[in-house]
Every structure is written in structure tokens, then in C-alpha cells.
Amino acid sequence: MKPRIHIIGGSGSGKSYIAAKLAQRFAVPAYDLDELFWDHAAGCYGIRADPTKRDQQFLTIVAQDGWIIEGVYFQWLTPSFDVADVIIALTPSIWVRHWRVAGRFILRKLGRIPSKRESLAELRRLLRWSHAYDTDNLAQARKLIAERGRELVDCKTFADVLAATETPNMRIGRSH
């Protein structure tokens, strides 16, 4: 059985980077929840996808044998929390996250990475939301995950993530 790893964390925490590295390491697909949550066909930034379609796509992913799922979300993700071998919270400092978000915005504006057409006002909103993520969203996610009898493993670095995915208590290869 291939590993099922769920990664949560604020904007700029390194979720996409770490998910890609783990997907390569374990030879499983990585899924960015933004691809399900947002309507990328919409003509502007910030339009949400249809929740019914999103949830159907999500359940298809969770049913696979092996995956890395990453995103900031938690409310609609209980199916993956219930079957994940390990649930990781990326928790680098808020200032590292802000630096990464601002740097990504600049690279998009310069055309070095694909643009999501964000404005400076949207960057400011994202940084404000990101600053409150730990006390608001992450705290609620911790509670939800704990209520389901699951553990959330805090990791600040990629080395921490590697250690969390190599521990004996990670249920890779065991039935759920």
C-alpha cells in the first residue's frame, strides 16, 4: 500500500514544494487543493468552484491508493483526515511565510511564474488572512482532527517532514 499524506499550512508555508518532493520520494501523485477549491475557468481571481463538483473530485482522489494532498483548507476534508497515514501541519514562522508569498507575487508580476492575476490589494488581503491563519484556521483544523481521533504532526522544515514520514507510527502499508 502506498502512503497517504495530508499536508496543511498557511500560505507560503511550503506545502506545494514539500508535496512535490514527497510525491517524488514515494512515487504517488500530489494534489493541490486550490485546484479543486477555486474556479480557474472564471474570468477573474477568487471565484470558488461548485462545492458538489469539488467534493466529488476530492472523494475520487482520496479513494486512490497513495497520494499527497496539500492545502490550507480543513472543513470539507474529513475523508482524507480519516484515512491519511500522517497529517502534517507546516508551521514555519509567519515572517518566512509572508516573505515567500510576497516573493511569489513579485515573480508573477515579472512573468517568471504563471500569474493568477492578483492585484496589490489581493496580496494585502492574502497577507492579512495568512497572518491570522495560525490562530483561526489552524486552531480549528487541530480541533477537528483531534475530534476525529487523529494526530496532527507539526513540522517547521522539510527535515521535520521527512522524520514524520519515516516514523514507525506512520501507518504506511497497514490497513485502515
Side-chain angles (χ1 to χ4, degrees):
M1 183 191 237
K2 295 181 178 183
R4 296 175 176 174
I5 301 169
H6 193 118
I7 302 168
I8 64 173
S11 300
S13 62
K15 297 178 305 293
S16 297
Y17 172 82
I18 288 175
K21 292 290 188 189
L22 291 177
Q24 187 176 48
R25 179 183 187 91
F26 292 115
V28 297
Y31 298 97
D32 177 349
L33 292 172
D34 280 345
E35 296 301 315
L36 301 180
F37 190 79
W38 299 108
D39 183 351
H40 297 286
C44 60
Y45 184 76
I47 306 297
R48 292 181 181 187
D50 173 78
T52 302
K53 183 179 175 184
R54 173 202 72 196
D55 292 349
Q56 288 172 345
Q57 291 173 324
F58 182 66
L59 290 174
T60 299
I61 292 168
V62 172
Q64 295 177 18
D65 179 25
W67 39 255
I68 312 295
I69 294 174
E70 60 92 353
V72 298
Y73 315 101
F74 66 93
Q75 298 96 331
W76 48 284
L77 304 176
T78 55
S80 65
F81 294 150
D82 289 343
V83 299
D85 296 305
V86 65
I87 307 166
I88 294 170
L90 292 180
T91 57
S93 86
I94 187 64
W95 305 112
V96 167
R97 294 187 342 232
H98 282 351
W99 178 258
R100 290 174 179 165
V101 168
R104 191 166 47 212
F105 176 82
I106 291 167
L107 290 174
R108 285 181 178 141
K109 290 300 178 189
L110 294 173
R112 300 229 174 116
I113 59 175
S115 177
K116 291 186 177 180
R117 301 177 302 246
E118 303 112 311
S119 67
L120 195 54
E122 289 164 330
L123 172 64
R124 282 193 299 270
R125 275 194 296 275
L126 178 59
L127 290 173
R128 275 195 303 272
W129 179 86
S130 180
H131 201 77
Y133 177 82
D134 294 347
T135 54
D136 296 340
N137 296 59
L138 187 55
Q140 291 176 45
R142 284 183 195 287
K143 183 177 183 230
L144 174 73
I145 291 164
E147 286 170 352
R148 301 193 78 75
R150 300 305 312 273
E151 178 186 358
L152 185 60
V153 180
D154 286 293
C155 297
K156 293 191 180 301
T157 67
F158 184 57
D160 294 344
V161 171
L162 289 178
T165 59
E166 293 173 353
T167 61
N169 62 347
M170 190 165 126
R171 300 178 312 175
I172 291 178
R174 298 197 318 210
S175 61
H176 299 279

